[in-house]
Short mmCIF file of all heavy atoms in Angstrom, two decimals:
data_model
loop_
_atom_site.label_atom_id
_atom_site.label_comp_id
_atom_site.label_asym_id
_atom_site.label_seq_id
_atom_site.Cartn_x
_atom_site.Cartn_y
_atom_site.Cartn_z
N GLY A 26 330.03 162.10 241.40
CA GLY A 26 331.12 161.10 241.61
C GLY A 26 331.41 160.78 242.99
O GLY A 26 332.20 159.87 243.30
N ALA A 27 330.92 161.59 243.96
CA ALA A 27 331.26 161.41 245.32
C ALA A 27 330.52 160.31 245.90
O ALA A 27 329.37 160.05 245.56
CB ALA A 27 331.01 162.75 246.13
N PRO A 28 331.19 159.39 246.70
CA PRO A 28 330.48 158.26 247.28
C PRO A 28 329.43 158.69 248.27
O PRO A 28 329.58 159.64 248.98
CB PRO A 28 331.67 157.50 247.95
CG PRO A 28 332.64 158.53 248.35
CD PRO A 28 332.56 159.54 247.20
N THR A 29 328.37 157.97 248.21
CA THR A 29 327.30 158.23 249.18
C THR A 29 326.89 156.85 249.79
O THR A 29 327.24 155.82 249.29
CB THR A 29 325.99 158.87 248.51
OG1 THR A 29 325.58 157.91 247.45
CG2 THR A 29 326.36 160.18 247.84
N THR A 30 326.13 156.88 250.83
CA THR A 30 325.66 155.65 251.48
C THR A 30 324.16 155.77 251.70
O THR A 30 323.71 156.61 252.32
CB THR A 30 326.35 155.47 252.84
OG1 THR A 30 327.72 155.41 252.69
CG2 THR A 30 325.93 154.19 253.51
N THR A 31 323.40 154.86 251.10
CA THR A 31 322.03 154.80 251.33
C THR A 31 321.82 153.47 251.97
O THR A 31 322.03 152.35 251.44
CB THR A 31 321.29 154.86 250.03
OG1 THR A 31 321.70 153.85 249.09
CG2 THR A 31 321.45 156.22 249.32
N ALA A 32 321.29 153.46 253.19
CA ALA A 32 321.19 152.23 253.94
C ALA A 32 320.06 152.19 254.85
O ALA A 32 319.43 153.15 255.16
CB ALA A 32 322.51 152.12 254.81
N ALA A 33 319.74 150.97 255.22
CA ALA A 33 318.72 150.73 256.25
C ALA A 33 319.53 150.29 257.51
O ALA A 33 320.57 149.70 257.39
CB ALA A 33 317.69 149.67 255.86
N VAL A 34 318.93 150.51 258.70
CA VAL A 34 319.61 150.17 259.91
C VAL A 34 319.50 148.65 260.14
O VAL A 34 318.45 148.07 260.04
CB VAL A 34 318.96 150.93 261.11
CG1 VAL A 34 319.61 150.40 262.39
CG2 VAL A 34 319.13 152.42 260.91
N THR A 35 320.63 147.98 260.25
CA THR A 35 320.70 146.49 260.35
C THR A 35 320.35 146.13 261.78
O THR A 35 320.83 146.65 262.75
CB THR A 35 322.06 145.94 259.97
OG1 THR A 35 322.40 146.39 258.74
CG2 THR A 35 322.06 144.43 260.11
N THR A 36 319.45 145.18 261.91
CA THR A 36 319.08 144.74 263.24
C THR A 36 319.32 143.15 263.35
O THR A 36 319.49 142.45 262.43
CB THR A 36 317.54 144.91 263.50
OG1 THR A 36 316.82 144.21 262.43
CG2 THR A 36 317.22 146.41 263.38
N PRO A 37 319.40 142.68 264.58
CA PRO A 37 319.76 141.31 264.85
C PRO A 37 318.66 140.44 264.22
O PRO A 37 317.55 140.84 263.91
CB PRO A 37 319.78 141.11 266.35
CG PRO A 37 320.04 142.52 266.86
CD PRO A 37 319.47 143.40 265.83
N ALA A 38 318.95 139.11 264.04
CA ALA A 38 317.98 138.18 263.51
C ALA A 38 316.80 137.94 264.31
O ALA A 38 316.82 138.26 265.48
CB ALA A 38 318.68 136.83 263.21
N ALA A 39 315.79 137.46 263.78
CA ALA A 39 314.52 137.19 264.60
C ALA A 39 314.80 136.30 265.76
O ALA A 39 315.53 135.24 265.60
CB ALA A 39 313.44 136.60 263.66
N GLY A 40 314.20 136.53 266.90
CA GLY A 40 314.41 135.70 268.04
C GLY A 40 315.51 136.06 268.93
O GLY A 40 315.66 135.48 270.07
N THR A 41 316.45 137.01 268.53
CA THR A 41 317.53 137.36 269.41
C THR A 41 317.20 138.33 270.40
O THR A 41 316.13 138.91 270.38
CB THR A 41 318.67 137.94 268.53
OG1 THR A 41 318.20 139.11 267.87
CG2 THR A 41 319.20 136.96 267.49
N THR A 42 317.94 138.44 271.43
CA THR A 42 317.70 139.36 272.61
C THR A 42 318.99 140.20 272.81
O THR A 42 320.05 139.88 272.40
CB THR A 42 317.33 138.61 273.80
OG1 THR A 42 318.36 137.78 274.23
CG2 THR A 42 316.02 137.74 273.63
N THR A 43 318.77 141.27 273.60
CA THR A 43 319.87 142.09 274.00
C THR A 43 320.57 141.41 275.23
O THR A 43 320.06 140.37 275.73
CB THR A 43 319.42 143.53 274.42
OG1 THR A 43 318.52 143.31 275.49
CG2 THR A 43 318.67 144.12 273.23
N ALA A 44 321.60 142.02 275.69
CA ALA A 44 322.28 141.48 276.89
C ALA A 44 321.39 141.42 278.03
O ALA A 44 321.55 140.67 278.95
CB ALA A 44 323.53 142.31 277.19
N ALA A 45 320.43 142.32 278.10
CA ALA A 45 319.50 142.36 279.23
C ALA A 45 318.36 141.41 279.08
O ALA A 45 317.45 141.34 279.90
CB ALA A 45 319.02 143.79 279.47
N GLY A 46 318.30 140.64 277.95
CA GLY A 46 317.27 139.71 277.75
C GLY A 46 316.09 140.27 277.18
O GLY A 46 315.02 139.63 277.04
N VAL A 47 316.11 141.51 276.61
CA VAL A 47 314.93 142.16 275.95
C VAL A 47 314.93 141.69 274.44
O VAL A 47 315.86 141.86 273.74
CB VAL A 47 315.03 143.69 276.05
CG1 VAL A 47 313.81 144.32 275.34
CG2 VAL A 47 315.13 144.07 277.48
N PRO A 48 313.79 141.24 273.99
CA PRO A 48 313.59 140.83 272.59
C PRO A 48 313.90 142.06 271.71
O PRO A 48 313.50 143.15 271.97
CB PRO A 48 312.25 140.35 272.43
CG PRO A 48 311.82 140.00 273.81
CD PRO A 48 312.48 140.98 274.75
N VAL A 49 314.50 141.80 270.52
CA VAL A 49 314.82 142.80 269.58
C VAL A 49 313.93 142.73 268.30
O VAL A 49 313.75 141.65 267.92
CB VAL A 49 316.28 142.70 269.15
CG1 VAL A 49 316.64 143.77 268.03
CG2 VAL A 49 317.24 142.88 270.26
N SER A 50 313.37 143.87 267.93
CA SER A 50 312.54 143.85 266.74
C SER A 50 313.37 143.59 265.50
O SER A 50 314.54 143.94 265.46
CB SER A 50 311.83 145.24 266.62
OG SER A 50 311.22 145.32 265.41
N THR A 51 312.77 142.86 264.56
CA THR A 51 313.50 142.56 263.32
C THR A 51 313.26 143.53 262.21
O THR A 51 313.68 143.34 261.10
CB THR A 51 313.11 141.14 262.83
OG1 THR A 51 311.79 141.11 262.63
CG2 THR A 51 313.41 140.12 263.97
N THR A 52 312.42 144.50 262.42
CA THR A 52 312.14 145.49 261.36
C THR A 52 313.21 146.42 261.21
O THR A 52 314.11 146.67 262.04
CB THR A 52 310.93 146.37 261.64
OG1 THR A 52 311.18 147.00 262.90
CG2 THR A 52 309.70 145.43 261.88
N THR A 53 313.47 146.94 259.88
CA THR A 53 314.47 147.86 259.56
C THR A 53 313.94 149.29 259.39
O THR A 53 312.84 149.34 258.85
CB THR A 53 315.22 147.43 258.34
OG1 THR A 53 314.29 147.32 257.23
CG2 THR A 53 315.92 146.13 258.52
N ALA A 54 314.71 150.24 259.73
CA ALA A 54 314.24 151.65 259.60
C ALA A 54 315.01 152.38 258.49
O ALA A 54 316.22 152.57 258.59
CB ALA A 54 314.49 152.40 260.89
N PRO A 55 314.42 152.53 257.35
CA PRO A 55 315.15 153.15 256.22
C PRO A 55 315.50 154.54 256.58
O PRO A 55 314.84 155.31 257.15
CB PRO A 55 314.12 153.08 255.04
CG PRO A 55 312.80 153.03 255.78
CD PRO A 55 312.98 152.20 256.99
N ARG A 56 316.72 154.93 256.02
CA ARG A 56 317.14 156.24 256.32
C ARG A 56 316.44 157.15 255.31
O ARG A 56 316.41 156.97 254.10
CB ARG A 56 318.68 156.35 255.93
CG ARG A 56 319.30 157.64 256.19
CD ARG A 56 320.80 157.68 256.10
NE ARG A 56 321.35 156.75 257.02
CZ ARG A 56 322.64 156.34 257.00
NH1 ARG A 56 323.46 156.79 256.10
NH2 ARG A 56 323.04 155.57 257.95
N PRO A 57 315.91 158.33 255.80
CA PRO A 57 315.17 159.22 254.87
C PRO A 57 316.02 159.78 253.76
O PRO A 57 317.26 160.09 254.02
CB PRO A 57 314.65 160.37 255.78
CG PRO A 57 314.75 159.73 257.19
CD PRO A 57 315.84 158.80 257.19
N GLU A 58 315.50 159.97 252.62
CA GLU A 58 316.24 160.53 251.49
C GLU A 58 316.33 162.04 251.63
O GLU A 58 315.41 162.67 252.17
CB GLU A 58 315.49 160.15 250.18
CG GLU A 58 315.55 158.69 249.82
CD GLU A 58 316.87 158.25 249.50
OE1 GLU A 58 317.74 159.09 249.02
OE2 GLU A 58 317.17 156.98 249.76
N PRO A 59 317.46 162.58 251.23
CA PRO A 59 317.55 164.08 251.28
C PRO A 59 316.53 164.77 250.41
O PRO A 59 316.15 164.25 249.36
CB PRO A 59 319.04 164.36 250.84
CG PRO A 59 319.68 163.09 250.86
CD PRO A 59 318.70 161.92 250.72
N GLN A 60 316.01 165.86 250.87
CA GLN A 60 315.10 166.62 250.09
C GLN A 60 315.74 167.91 249.64
O GLN A 60 316.50 168.63 250.35
CB GLN A 60 313.89 167.00 250.96
CG GLN A 60 313.10 165.83 251.50
CD GLN A 60 312.43 165.06 250.40
OE1 GLN A 60 312.18 165.56 249.33
NE2 GLN A 60 312.24 163.78 250.67
N SER A 61 315.34 168.27 248.39
CA SER A 61 316.02 169.49 247.74
C SER A 61 315.31 170.75 248.23
O SER A 61 314.21 170.65 248.77
CB SER A 61 315.96 169.42 246.26
OG SER A 61 314.57 169.27 245.87
N VAL A 62 315.92 171.86 248.09
CA VAL A 62 315.43 173.18 248.49
C VAL A 62 314.30 173.41 247.44
O VAL A 62 314.37 173.03 246.34
CB VAL A 62 316.49 174.27 248.33
CG1 VAL A 62 315.88 175.57 248.57
CG2 VAL A 62 317.63 173.90 249.29
N PRO A 63 313.14 174.10 247.94
CA PRO A 63 312.05 174.34 247.03
C PRO A 63 312.31 175.39 246.05
O PRO A 63 311.84 176.51 246.02
CB PRO A 63 310.96 174.73 248.00
CG PRO A 63 311.69 175.31 249.17
CD PRO A 63 312.85 174.46 249.31
N ALA A 64 313.26 175.04 245.03
CA ALA A 64 313.69 176.01 244.12
C ALA A 64 312.55 176.48 243.24
O ALA A 64 312.48 177.69 242.84
CB ALA A 64 314.73 175.43 243.21
N ARG A 65 311.57 175.68 242.91
CA ARG A 65 310.46 176.03 242.03
C ARG A 65 309.64 177.18 242.76
O ARG A 65 309.24 178.10 242.13
CB ARG A 65 309.54 174.81 241.83
CG ARG A 65 308.30 175.14 240.93
CD ARG A 65 307.53 173.92 240.65
NE ARG A 65 306.30 174.12 240.00
CZ ARG A 65 305.09 174.44 240.58
NH1 ARG A 65 305.09 174.39 241.91
NH2 ARG A 65 304.00 174.75 239.85
N ALA A 66 309.45 177.05 244.07
CA ALA A 66 308.72 178.07 244.76
C ALA A 66 309.46 179.42 244.80
O ALA A 66 308.88 180.47 244.73
CB ALA A 66 308.49 177.61 246.17
N VAL A 67 310.80 179.35 244.87
CA VAL A 67 311.58 180.50 244.79
C VAL A 67 311.51 181.24 243.52
O VAL A 67 311.32 182.45 243.38
CB VAL A 67 313.11 180.25 245.21
CG1 VAL A 67 313.94 181.47 244.98
CG2 VAL A 67 313.14 179.76 246.63
N VAL A 68 311.51 180.44 242.41
CA VAL A 68 311.44 180.98 241.03
C VAL A 68 310.06 181.58 240.86
O VAL A 68 309.85 182.72 240.33
CB VAL A 68 311.68 179.91 240.03
CG1 VAL A 68 311.32 180.38 238.56
CG2 VAL A 68 313.15 179.45 240.11
N LEU A 69 308.98 180.94 241.34
CA LEU A 69 307.66 181.47 241.14
C LEU A 69 307.46 182.76 241.95
O LEU A 69 306.86 183.76 241.41
CB LEU A 69 306.58 180.45 241.64
CG LEU A 69 306.35 179.16 240.77
CD1 LEU A 69 305.44 178.21 241.54
CD2 LEU A 69 305.94 179.47 239.40
N LEU A 70 307.93 182.83 243.15
CA LEU A 70 307.77 184.00 243.93
C LEU A 70 308.58 185.16 243.36
O LEU A 70 308.14 186.29 243.45
CB LEU A 70 308.20 183.72 245.38
CG LEU A 70 307.80 184.83 246.41
CD1 LEU A 70 306.34 184.99 246.46
CD2 LEU A 70 308.31 184.36 247.79
N THR A 71 309.81 184.89 242.86
CA THR A 71 310.58 185.89 242.18
C THR A 71 309.96 186.49 240.96
O THR A 71 309.90 187.68 240.71
CB THR A 71 311.99 185.37 241.87
OG1 THR A 71 312.64 184.87 242.99
CG2 THR A 71 312.82 186.46 241.23
N ALA A 72 309.28 185.65 240.17
CA ALA A 72 308.60 186.01 238.97
C ALA A 72 307.37 186.87 239.40
O ALA A 72 307.00 187.92 238.76
CB ALA A 72 308.12 184.90 238.14
N GLY A 73 306.69 186.50 240.45
CA GLY A 73 305.54 187.25 240.93
C GLY A 73 306.03 188.65 241.41
O GLY A 73 305.30 189.68 241.19
#
């Protein structure tokens, strides 16, 4: 029930530039999803 945020980084529209006049890429960089601890490996090793 806790709120989470899954987002991509928002970038300016195509053709825009920064204050220094450098063109800005329009691609978005998705935020990586969290990965769980390898619980299966721990269980297997404990059984071994």
Side-chain angles (χ1 to χ4, degrees):
T29 59
T30 302
T31 56
V34 178
T35 304
T36 57
T41 60
T42 61
T43 64
V47 179
V49 177
S50 171
T51 60
T52 59
T53 59
R56 182 175 299 171
E58 293 294 331
Q60 298 294 335
S61 60
V62 177
R65 178 175 176 271
V67 173
V68 171
L69 290 175
L70 194 57
T71 303

